[in-house]
Amino acid sequence: MTSTPSAGSAAFSTIRIRTSAVVFCGSEVALIRRDREGSTLYTTIGGNVEGAEPLPEALRRELAEELNLDLDQADGGELLWVLDQRVSRPGPTPPPRKLHLIYRFHVSPAVRETLAAEEFDAQADGSYELGTIEWIDYRETAALPLFPPIGPALAALDSPHAQVLDAALAAVTDENYSWI
């Protein structure tokens, strides 16, 4: 016997993986600021893993595309946090469940000078959304509208190199997050 899923059960039935990074230069971290009508949103540098793409290659590709960073010029690369996202979003498509894999890298001031200042995010209609790369003191990220919402965890680090004992952050759900 087969059953037809109800309209609500399609939400989160697909799992996507987003790989991203907090890239430090001293005590500052690179974030993308996206100014939208009526709001500003910050995001980590990164994006969705494509098809069967290996995770390290997806991360390398995203950092090159968005920040113009060659990972051979950076130190680190350890997995810092994993965040499980189950958040409804505007639009007709059922939202996917998304696992965010957030890595940490460090760059020198000389490398930072070579990195991108803007990021162009391709949209479904063929246009681009402009993002501005901002370097922000990591201790000031708790109050930012940052997605994935890692600001409080990031700001709580004792130092940019602090060891993280538990990589699992609390899940992001409709009960604790509103889509911006």
Side-chain angles (χ1 to χ4, degrees), residues 40-145:
T40 297
L41 174 69
Y42 289 85
T43 63
T44 55
I45 311 295
N48 292 327
V49 175
E50 297 175 358
E53 182 179 32
L55 295 175
E57 291 308 309
L59 181 62
R60 181 176 288 279
R61 175 183 52 77
E62 287 291 344
L63 288 169
E65 287 175 2
E66 295 186 355
L67 195 57
N68 195 35
L69 176 60
D70 177 346
L71 285 184
D72 293 336
Q73 298 177 305
D75 294 323
E78 74 274 15
L79 180 64
L80 194 59
W81 293 301
V82 176
L83 188 138
D84 183 5
Q85 172 193 327
R86 297 179 311 270
V87 179
S88 299
R89 63 180 187 194
T93 306
R97 180 177 187 175
K98 192 174 283 191
L99 295 179
H100 295 264
L101 306 177
I102 304 152
Y103 296 82
R104 173 172 45 189
F105 292 93
H106 298 272
V107 297
S108 69
V111 169
R112 176 178 167 175
E113 290 298 318
T114 68
L115 300 179
E118 296 178 324
E119 186 267 341
F120 297 91
D121 190 28
Q123 303 296 298
D125 65 2
S127 66
Y128 290 88
E129 179 182 51
L130 175 65
T132 303
I133 307 297
E134 287 192 6
W135 290 87
I136 299 170
D137 189 299
Y138 78 95
R139 296 164 289 207
E140 298 174 6
T141 59
L144 288 179

Side-chain angles (χ1 to χ4, degrees), residues 28-45:
E28 293 184 320
V29 63
L31 298 172
I32 301 173
R33 187 188 80 221
R34 299 188 188 287
D35 295 315
R36 297 179 174 156
E37 187 176 329
S39 71
T40 297
L41 174 69
Y42 289 85
T43 63
T44 55
I45 311 295

